[in-house]
Amino acid sequence: SSEVLEAIENVIQGVLQSLAQNKAPVLTVANRTDWRNIEFKDSVGLQMIPRCTTKQIRSDCPQSAKRFALMLKILSMIYKMVQSNTYATKRDIYYSDTLLFGSQNIVDQLINDISCMLKIPRRSLHILSTTKGFVAGNLSYTEEDGSKVNCTCSATVCIVNHKHLNTKDLTSHAKFILIVEKDATFQRLLDDDFFNKVSPCIMITGRGIPDLNTRLLVRKLWDSFQIPIFTLMDADPHGVEIMCVYKYGSVSMSFEAHHLTVPSVKWLGLLPSDLERLNIRKDALIPFTRQDENKLASIQKRPYIACQPLWKKELEIMAASKLKAEIQVLTSLSSDYLSRVYLPNKLQFGGWL
């Protein structure tokens, strides 16, 4: 807490010094979304380089004056919350003055800029993400308030929230962790009692692109148990992108890579090569859109694909066919093919990349 307060005080002191010298105050933030500021390391994923290019948010420039004022506003809110040991979600901050902020997206960007500028992880700023992730399976723990949570019962699905990140007595006999892209597939595996039938495991879904809490939980489980982590995604560019976020991180959050990425994550399925191997009917597949083509071309150019020759091959199969498939396509073989045949075979015979 004292570190956060001191960092904010230093920023405000800089503003006051500029005013005392009759200069327009300026806030300097890193260019978080510029690939030139990002380096790839096998052991970490995408991380921001130490001497990255910056941009200035000036108080005397019409284009950035409002952004400057909004950053000071949020800094003052963070300062008060840290002092009083209270918390707010990004949504709470937006709804505290919707006319002032304009949109939730602006608030999200500003909070990430502030976290990067202060060099302090976002969760330490007392700002919580609105969580959408779920966890179930062979996992139990004690929350901060002393309440015990047991996810092992197949009927129990725990919402991933900030309390999970401060868990005590994390216990599990899981042999692996399965990250599932979509909620529908996650629920189907729960209905089939998958995590008890094959071997004990922990299942997690970020329900699409994972929020910060879901990524933090995956990292915490990896640090705690050091067991294999597999991903089950759609065989399309969007699914590959989501898997890369878990494994290598995202450009916009590269300044926090050390806390968020798990480079040991494996691609279990659905692989583009599986579609041919399983003789999935062509009419069950979905043609690429222009957006899919652009997304795939962008992924193929990323630095981490060069050191993943097997991934590269799968992406080439996808690019050549210009066809994609959702995990649900396996129901065209049989209603429970995913949990009864596909996953057990993959896990037993090593069908992952």
Side-chain angles (χ1 to χ4, degrees), residues 131-137 139-141 143 148-161 164 183 186-187 190 195 202-205 207 214 217:
T131 285
K132 58 190 179 102
F134 292 148
V135 58
L139 178 68
S140 56
Y141 52 86
E143 288 191 343
K148 300 210 179 291
V149 180
N150 186 355
C151 305
T152 307
C153 166
S154 59
T156 307
V157 176
C158 305
I159 296 172
V160 178
N161 62 38
H164 291 163
D183 187 29
F186 180 84
Q187 299 295 341
L190 280 179
F195 61 76
I202 300 167
M203 295 198 317
I204 293 174
T205 180
R207 298 163 78 197
T214 305
L217 180 63

Side-chain angles (χ1 to χ4, degrees), residues 250-301:
S250 59
V251 174
S252 63
M253 292 297 287
S254 59
F255 63 95
E256 269 209 66
H258 285 82
H259 309 292
L260 295 172
T261 59
V262 185
S264 62
V265 161
K266 306 291 182 200
W267 187 4
L268 185 72
L270 188 63
L271 302 177
S273 58
D274 288 339
L275 302 176
E276 197 171 320
R277 182 176 63 82
L278 298 172
N279 290 320
I280 302 291
R281 297 191 326 269
K282 280 280 193 291
D283 63 354
L285 304 177
I286 307 162
F288 262 26
T289 62
R290 175 58 60 84
Q291 198 178 4
D292 290 326
E293 288 181 38
N294 294 341
K295 171 70 78 181
L296 182 57
S298 150
I299 292 169
Q300 286 176 303
K301 289 177 193 158

Side-chain angles (χ1 to χ4, degrees), residues 17 47 57 80 98 114 116 124 130 177 219 297 314 343:
Q17 280 171 351
Q47 63 176 12
I57 300 171
K80 284 173 190 166
T98 54
I114 286 169
C116 187
S124 299
T130 309
I177 295 165
R219 177 58 195 246
E314 292 293 333
L343 288 175

Side-chain angles (χ1 to χ4, degrees), residues 19-302:
L19 291 171
Q21 295 163 6
N22 284 326
K23 291 180 184 171
V26 169
L27 296 174
T28 304
V29 298
N31 274 327
R32 289 184 298 108
T33 54
D34 190 336
W35 274 94
R36 289 170 298 182
N37 286 334
I38 310 298
E39 64 180 357
F40 170 66
K41 279 184 77 173
D42 256 352
S43 58
V44 181
L46 301 175
Q47 63 176 12
M48 192 170 274
I49 59 175
R51 291 184 184 82
C52 62
T53 59
T54 57
K55 57 185 177 184
Q56 289 192 329
I57 300 171
R58 302 188 61 86
S59 59
D60 62 346
C61 169
Q63 283 78 28
S64 62
K66 184 177 180 184
R67 197 171 186 87
F68 179 92
L70 292 179
M71 282 186 79
L72 289 191
K73 168 76 173 169
I74 293 174
L75 280 168
S76 76
M77 294 173 83
I78 293 168
Y79 195 85
K80 284 173 190 166
M81 287 191 296
V82 173
Q83 275 189 320
S84 60
N85 196 29
T86 54
Y87 290 81
T89 63
K90 295 187 293 182
R91 198 172 170 78
D92 293 335
I93 289 174
Y94 169 58
Y95 279 106
S96 69
D97 199 330
T98 54
L99 287 176
L100 177 68
F101 290 117
S103 77
Q104 182 69 63
N105 189 42
I106 287 170
V107 171
D108 296 353
Q109 286 176 23
L110 289 170
I111 289 166
N112 285 340
D113 276 342
I114 286 169
S115 177
C116 187
M117 177 179 73
L118 299 178
K119 295 184 170 55
I120 289 172
R122 195 172 76 197
R123 61 198 173 282
S124 299
L125 302 178
H126 285 226
I127 296 174
L128 311 171
S129 300
T130 309
T131 285
K132 58 190 179 102
F134 292 148
V135 58
N138 196 291
L139 178 68
S140 56
Y141 52 86
T142 308
E143 288 191 343
E144 279 181 311
D145 60 4
S147 55
K148 300 210 179 291
V149 180
N150 186 355
C151 305
T152 307
C153 166
S154 59
T156 307
V157 176
C158 305
I159 296 172
V160 178
N161 62 38
H162 73 285
K163 291 178 182 174
H164 291 163
L165 309 176
N166 299 307
T167 49
K168 296 177 289 185
D169 311 323
L170 256 174
T171 54
S172 176
H173 302 293
K175 301 292 183 222
F176 62 91
I177 295 165
L178 182 66
I179 300 172
V180 182
E181 177 185 349
K182 285 180 178 166
D183 187 29
T185 309
F186 180 84
Q187 299 295 341
R188 179 62 208 245
L189 290 173
L190 280 179
D191 291 343
D192 292 347
D193 200 23
F194 171 75
F195 61 76
N196 284 323
K197 278 182 182 166
V198 178
S199 69
C201 72
I202 300 167
M203 295 198 317
I204 293 174
T205 180
R207 298 163 78 197
I209 296 169
D211 56 59
L212 189 67
N213 284 341
T214 305
R215 290 176 63 190
L216 283 165
L217 180 63
V218 170
R219 177 58 195 246
K220 188 175 178 71
L221 292 173
W222 162 247
D223 288 338
S224 301
F225 303 121
Q226 300 279 306
I227 52 177
I229 301 182
F230 301 111
T231 56
L232 180 62
M233 305 281 151
D234 289 341
D236 66 10
H238 190 64
V240 175
E241 172 88 283
I242 290 169
M243 173 176 58
C244 291
V245 169
Y246 283 107
K247 186 175 176 75
Y248 295 125
S250 59
V251 174
S252 63
M253 292 297 287
S254 59
F255 63 95
E256 269 209 66
H258 285 82
H259 309 292
L260 295 172
T261 59
V262 185
S264 62
V265 161
K266 306 291 182 200
W267 187 4
L268 185 72
L270 188 63
L271 302 177
S273 58
D274 288 339
L275 302 176
E276 197 171 320
R277 182 176 63 82
L278 298 172
N279 290 320
I280 302 291
R281 297 191 326 269
K282 280 280 193 291
D283 63 354
L285 304 177
I286 307 162
F288 262 26
T289 62
R290 175 58 60 84
Q291 198 178 4
D292 290 326
E293 288 181 38
N294 294 341
K295 171 70 78 181
L296 182 57
S298 150
I299 292 169
Q300 286 176 303
K301 289 177 193 158
R302 291 185 193 167

